[in-house]
Amino acid sequence: MTMTFSALVLTAVLAAATPAAAQGTADLIVKLRGPASLATADARDAAAARLSQETGLPLRAIGLTSGGELMLGIDHAVLAERLTAAARTLPGVVSAETSRGPTVVLETEAGSGPPALAAIGDRLAQATGTPVNARFKGNAVVVEASQEQLVGQATRRLQGLPEVAYAQPNFAVGINPPPDPMIRKPL
Amino acid sequence: MHARTDASLPNSRALAKPLGTLRQESEARGSGYRCTVTSASALALGVSLLWGAVGADAQELDAQAPMDVVQSLERVRPARAVPGEIIVKFRESEGPAPRLLPETAAPLGLSTAAVPTSGGELIYRLNVGVLLQAGSANAVAERVARTVAQLNARDDIEYAQPNWIVYPSATPADPGYASQWHYWLNGTGAGQSPGGINLPTAWDTTQGNPSVVVAVIDTGILPAHPDIAGSPNLAAGYDMISNAFTANDGSGRDADPSDPGDAVAAGECGPGEPAEPSSWHGSHVAGTIGVGHSNNSVGVAGVNWHTRVQAVRVLGKCGGSIADINDAIRWAAGLPVPGVPTNSTPARVINMSLGADVPCTSSPATQAAINDAIAAGVTVVVAAGNSAMDASGATPAGCIGPITVAASDARGFLVTRYSNFGPRVDIMAPGGDVRRDDNGDGDPDGVLSTVQGGYAYYNGTSMAAPHVAGVAALLLSQEPSQTPAGVLARLQAAAMPRDATQCPKPCGAGLLNADLFGEGEGGVPERLPFQYTAKVICGLQKDERVGAATPALYGTIVNIRNSAEPDGETVLLTKELALAIPPGFQEQGKLLPLGRDKLEASHALATDCDDLRKRADGGLPDFFDGFVTVRSTGSLDVSAVYTTAAIDREGRLVGQAGIDVEPVAERVAGNGGARADLTVTKITNLGVSCPGGGGTCVTTVDAVVTNQGSAPASLPSTTRGMLDPAQSITVDRSQGPLAPGASGSVTFTSPPDGNCFDPDCTVCVTADALNAIDESDESNNQLCATHPG
């Protein structure tokens, strides 16, 4: 007998490393070797598609920097599709659907608990090549793909490509003051 | 200076000078000061007195408006005596009070008219004809020096001297200056602070120049602040924040760098992140550099009274992104940024009081941006960071090329509770400590500057960096051809060294010292590690009893050359003369300062006997024998040329006897010239393993670092391994101290996915990658090896 166990909510990017990144700032800065021009949007899209192919990660071009670097972001929509499709192939999964977030509804056998949950996370990670963490949230299961982990993985894979001179996350930067208050001085 | 009235001032054309100078001059006259406040006003008044003192001749000359002479005198800062005036003290004698007779005064170019002083001296003046013939302040000063020497050689004169001008140091009229201890003269007396950076001394020479633009890459600016509104020091900037949420002004990038605030609610910057009020950080930083009006009796003063501060906004709610900062760096430097209009007023100095706690090796795009700015001639100044850790772990503090600034308190000590430190720190400057009140003024010892609604004390390396950026701007206002490396060298050479109590952790060359321009003690750099001592023998030596010199006419020329390639660094040097002969000469055993010089790469200068006499203010006898010591910030080629001409018993020349050229040995202060020399002597055992399959390969390699120098490398250093492809895999390893001849081994292991073979693998290993060790050869630190795949 099968029964609906819970809803598995797949959110492609949660737990953002930085608010700036969470607000949609580009994730990666990539400098390509060679004279290839990235001046046009088409050229940047083509480069992003090529790099996606070579890294196995869904990447999209965002722009060009003053240093001639390609700004890339993780393509969340494509990533969600991949995760959803992979979830549908997992044993015991009755259905997996993407909606806002995206969300996958999972049906599995009764009695499944945390061990099964961990296995789901591992299998999704293995199937998609994407680091994910699964957890219960109410009556649902939430799988989080950490942006920090995703960007780190993408950076490492990009750095390993011969055509990439360097690749790095678009780090968040702040003023990071000492923990002291502003002390006003009337003049 | 003696009596003067407004009526004695020359016409207004001669007094064209900055507003601040005029104001101070007025105050000086009104308060009855004997000495003027600024050199320009002092010289102008000195000249006016001269005109007034010579009666009809002066009136006639004034009518002829020799303004070129007057204005040239006004422009020249180094002259520090009233032009043409000499104070003479005659020896006590019976009979009428001694004076210079016309037949004595005329050959000396002096007027016979003299003004008595309270000390029984007489003030004589060069006559107007001599003054005009000289034509420049320097020539007048030289003529005065010669005349002083001639007068001092007379038996009836006890002493003669120029009428030196003494300057109270310039201080701004802003009320907040009384709380800006961080600018004050360094010391413990009234109006001084042990944490001060000697700005009043620098302000005597320059208060900045609007031609020098300083970019502040930060949270933006408050253009309506009372100290900033209408300020000519505010240049057009840019808002480089791409993200509308971060920008908090409803849009992404635009031409308005105004700061709308960066306040955030709890959780807005991520789960658990607290609410924060707006910092107004950029305005505080810009205020220190001098974006506002200074010396205007409102608010606070800036390091620069005249400059152009350009706000480039990159930080907003929850910070900003490194990509925006990289673009801001290039934009500020005048370099193109896609989609952004080119900066029409490129900066000479960039200040970045911001950072992230990741090493710069993790942000090669930032290193590239900094490289581009420096290549464009821009001096980049960055805060070391406030994590009380080694600055090499932060970006941009740990990047190569910028001036990295740690923070000091009102005692001049490193603020160990927050300031980053380490070999990447180049210099320390006041960042303050609001938890202390070492100066006992009842206020916290923070840095006082502009914020929304008024003024506030902040502390942090964010506050330290703009002091350095501001002083760099002052330097560039005087020496506009300085390169970024030259700016750093000048700042480090002048820095006030710190001991282990003041800086228990490395804080660079010491405390920032703005006294870069004067010729007094404070203006002489304290870090001049290269030293050359040349024997000099000068003049007509007729007396066989004097020393070992054979009677003859002696000459010496000390040639000094900066042999660096044309694009190499400018070397700053000082010269001093120590006299051995004649015995009993009043200056025997003392070091006579001969001034200082800058020597650009591939340039040379020479000092001969006449030059020594002039530089020593005419106080040298006909014959002298001693040593000239040259101390410099960099290595030089120094040689001495000796000429000897024979004389007969009557002291007449009978022909040239010989010329001899001798190289002068270089000594390096501190260790007698011995220095360490780290080099990578071996790269071995390069291998790759892929335990988890093709995508998770790890590269390992061993290297040997050897100290082949003659002195120990007494500090730990960083050995850096860079693995292909593109050397983008960088691994740092710490290397302990190494005795001369000793070696150390390091093993580098790449992170996962670090397969170096593509198909070949090139490995480059760099000893002392962060330049912690002073080496005899800094060019042999890297070794690369390629292994076929």
Side-chain angles (χ1 to χ4, degrees), chain A residues 6 22 53 62 99 101 113 120 124 126 145 148 163 169 182 185:
Chain A
S6 63
Q53 183 79 21
I62 294 174
S99 64
I120 288 170
L124 273 177
Q126 201 165 22
E148 194 169 352
E163 68 180 293
M182 171 197 293
K185 169 81 173 174

Side-chain angles (χ1 to χ4, degrees), chain B residues 25-115:
Chain B
E25 180 185 85
S26 173
E27 289 166 357
R29 289 199 306 272
S31 58
Y33 285 3
R34 294 187 69 229
C35 302
T36 51
V37 176
T38 69
S39 60
S41 57
L43 287 168
L45 289 167
V47 172
S48 75
L49 282 174
L50 183 62
W51 299 150
V54 294
D57 287 348
Q59 298 296 331
E60 185 179 344
L61 286 166
D62 200 28
Q64 292 171 4
M67 294 307 299
D68 53 340
V69 176
V70 176
Q71 287 169 344
S72 71
L73 292 176
E74 278 198 75
R75 283 196 300 268
V76 177
R77 177 67 177 89
R80 295 191 173 207
V82 178
E85 290 193 355
I86 297 171
I87 300 173
V88 178
K89 173 75 170 179
F90 287 90
R91 294 189 189 282
E92 296 284 342
S93 64
E94 296 186 359
R99 303 179 67 88
L100 288 179
L101 299 174
E103 57 268 33
T104 305
L108 295 171
L110 291 174
S111 164
T112 53
V115 177

Side-chain angles (χ1 to χ4, degrees), chain B residues 375-460:
Chain B
V378 180
T379 296
V380 181
V381 180
V382 300
N386 300 319
S387 302
M389 68 178 201
D390 192 311
S392 62
T395 297
C399 295
I400 297 169
I403 299 175
T404 301
V405 186
S408 56
D409 60 21
R411 301 170 299 168
F413 287 26
L414 178 73
V415 189
T416 55
R417 76 174 174 88
Y418 68 75
S419 179
N420 285 357
F421 53 83
R424 275 301 304 132
V425 170
D426 295 299
I427 200 164
M428 184 170 70
D433 189 344
V434 297
R435 299 184 188 180
R436 303 181 67 96
D437 182 17
D438 289 304
N439 57 23
D441 65 355
D443 277 355
D445 291 343
V447 170
L448 184 63
S449 189
T450 44
V451 295
Q452 177 76 297
Y455 307 89
Y457 291 107
Y458 271 168
N459 63 197

